[in-house]
């Protein structure tokens, strides 16, 4: 078996939140294998555990039990330095609320991860400009986040996620705060990056537009994988889905 | 599986070499943070500034009372030794008040100085509370930013480093301004009440000492007040830091 076939694997992932004397099980044994270079969407209603799964895969939160393997490395075995290295080099994050650093310009936001990675200032700036060009924002290099529209901010966030050539991009509801048209543009951009740069895209969403371009769709319900579908198998069903009101 | 082990070792060594935040970059980012959030920084700084201004003004009053007493003693001694040839109006007043009721005058001065000492301790407490509050707020409102930085690969130590540099800069600048404010006002008041005789060499040396002390205390307290919130924020898992809504 080729060990490089899977970029992310989770085994029996469980995450519990304690609120007072109540224990809430957000993830209840999730086993998921994600292939290198695929575009996978994690779908599910809010409260289904999508974001919790996203956080666990991205190493942003520790699971209660079970394990996450990134490139066959068990994330639980990593110390703080190695975890930071992983977040810096292997994973790029995109959030629903963009999460740009408000005090920095678009270019500085994109350059920040390259500073952590040890790139020189000049190389970092060169890389930043190149990336902002890819996402179509080379005319907005020195704008602050609040001077950009939501769609533009998300583009900066995508450029920033790509800064250190990650093998995985984790997107948590990337279109959640955007209007329909801008959302479509962002989805198209993610797909283009997936095809052109071969980066694996894992996206938590409840945006049905995402289905169209995903290679596989994972349906989460009550902290478990409800079903796992390949796009070619559900294309027939798309017609009836479009009949449903979108949001 | 055995192939994986040497790989893990290599990546381990790379980690030590590659994740970094050069000091100059950290200073640059901190300066930017202060400059762009200028209005917010001013409020933070005002908390520190006013605390230090209060402290400096109380200490400066105490210095003045010491200087004044010394001048009175010297004048009286000179008068008694018959060395004073031209006695000014100020000196006449000093000598008469000092010689008519020596005991009462000395007791008054002593009580006044004790009061001032207590007041400067109070000033320091006010100062500490003001600074802690200011720094706590400035860290808390940036949890989301901290979470984001950690997602981009920042180590806990980077976050702490950024906040320490920022707090030291804010602390230093506001202490300097705070001292100048307190010192200037008290000196002005003193000119109008007691006139110019106190503004000699001793005035300038005690001013300079007090300047150093104020800046040291202000910067140190700001630094100390940043430690608990900065560490707490830095050690949070990124997901938790990102969830915080202010």
């Amino acid at each position: 078996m080729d060990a490089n076939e899977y970029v992310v694997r989770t085994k029996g992932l469980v995450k519990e939140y304690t609120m007072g004397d109540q224990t809430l099980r957000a993830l209840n044994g999730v086993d998921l294998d994600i292939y290198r270079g695929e575009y996978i969407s994690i779908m599910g209603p809010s409260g289904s555990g999508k974001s919790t799964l996203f956080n666990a895969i991205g190493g942003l939160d520790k699971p209660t039990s079970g394990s996450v393997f990134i490139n066959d490395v068990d994330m639980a075995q990593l110390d703080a330095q190695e975890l930071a290295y992983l977040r810096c080099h292997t994973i790029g994050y995109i959030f629903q609320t963009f999460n740009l650093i408000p005090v920095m310009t678009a270019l500085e936001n994109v350059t920040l991860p390259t500073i952590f990675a040890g790139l020189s200032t000049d190389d970092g700036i060169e890389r930043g400009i190149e990336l902002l060009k890819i996402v179509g924002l080379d005319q907005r290099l020195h704008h602050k986040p609040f001077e950009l529209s939501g769609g533009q901010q998300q583009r900066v966030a995508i450029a920033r996620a790509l800064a250190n050539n990650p093998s995985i991009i984790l997107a948590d509801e990337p279109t959640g705060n955007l209007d329909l048209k801008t959302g479509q543009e962002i989805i198209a951009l993610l797909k283009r990056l997936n095809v052109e740069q071969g980066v694996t895209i894992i996206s938590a969403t409840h945006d049905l537009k995402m289905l169209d371009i995903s290679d596989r769709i994972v349906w989460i319900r009550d902290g478990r994988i409800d079903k796992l579908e390949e796009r070619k198998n559900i294309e027939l069903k798309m017609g009836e889905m479009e009949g449903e009101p979108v949001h | 599986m055995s192939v994986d082990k040497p790989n893990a070792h290599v990546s381990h060594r790379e980690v030590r070499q590659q994740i970094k935040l050069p000091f100059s970059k950290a200073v640059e980012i901190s300066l930017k943070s202060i400059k762009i959030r200028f209005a917010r920084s001013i409020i933070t700084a005002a908390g520190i500034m006013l605390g230090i201004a209060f402290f400096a003004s109380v200490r400066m009053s105490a210095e003045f009372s010491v200087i004044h007493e010394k001048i009175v003693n010297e004048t009286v001694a000179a008068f008694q030794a018959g060395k004073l040839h031209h006695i000014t109006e100020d000196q006449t007043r000093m000598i008469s008040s000092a010689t008519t009721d020596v005991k009462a005058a000395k007791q008054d001065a002593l009580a006044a100085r004790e009061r001032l000492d207590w007041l400067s301790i109070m000033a320091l407490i006010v100062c500490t509370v003001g600074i802690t509050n200011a720094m706590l707020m400035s860290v808390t409102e940036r949890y989301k930013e901290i979470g984001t930085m950690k997602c981009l690969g920042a180590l806990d130590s980077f976050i702490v480093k950024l906040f320490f540099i920022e707090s030291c800069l804010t602390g230093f600048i506001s202490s300097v301004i705070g001292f100048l404010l307190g010192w200037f006002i008290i000196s002005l008041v003193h000119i109008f009440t007691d006139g110019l005789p106190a503004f000699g060499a001793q005035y300038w040396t005690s001013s300079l000492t007090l300047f150093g002390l104020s800046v040291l205390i202000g910067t140190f307290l700001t630094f100390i007040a940043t430690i608990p919130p900065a560490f707490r924020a830095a050690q949070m898992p990124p997901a938790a830091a990102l969830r915080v809504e202010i």
Side-chain angles (χ1 to χ4, degrees), chain B residues 189-230:
Chain B
V189 166
H190 203 81
I191 290 176
F192 285 118
T193 51
D194 285 335
L196 290 172
F199 293 84
Q202 204 189 339
Y203 165 75
W204 291 109
T205 34
S206 28
S207 293
L208 218 61
T209 319
L210 188 58
F211 172 74
L213 192 67
S214 299
V215 171
L216 212 67
I217 289 176
T219 312
F220 181 71
L221 283 180
T222 314
F223 182 72
I224 293 289
T226 321
I227 292 179

Side-chain angles (χ1 to χ4, degrees), chain B residues 73-85 95:
Chain B
N73 286 343
E74 276 168 4
T75 315
V76 172
F79 173 72
Q80 282 164 351
K83 282 182 192 159
L84 285 182
H85 302 299
I95 294 160

Side-chain angles (χ1 to χ4, degrees), chain B residues 135-155:
Chain B
M135 291 322 290
L136 198 67
M137 269 315 294
S138 110
V139 176
T140 309
E141 70 177 7
R142 278 150 71 182
Y143 272 166
K144 200 165 192 171
E145 201 177 312
I146 294 167
T148 309
M149 286 229 188
K150 289 186 77 171
C151 285
L152 301 180
L155 289 168

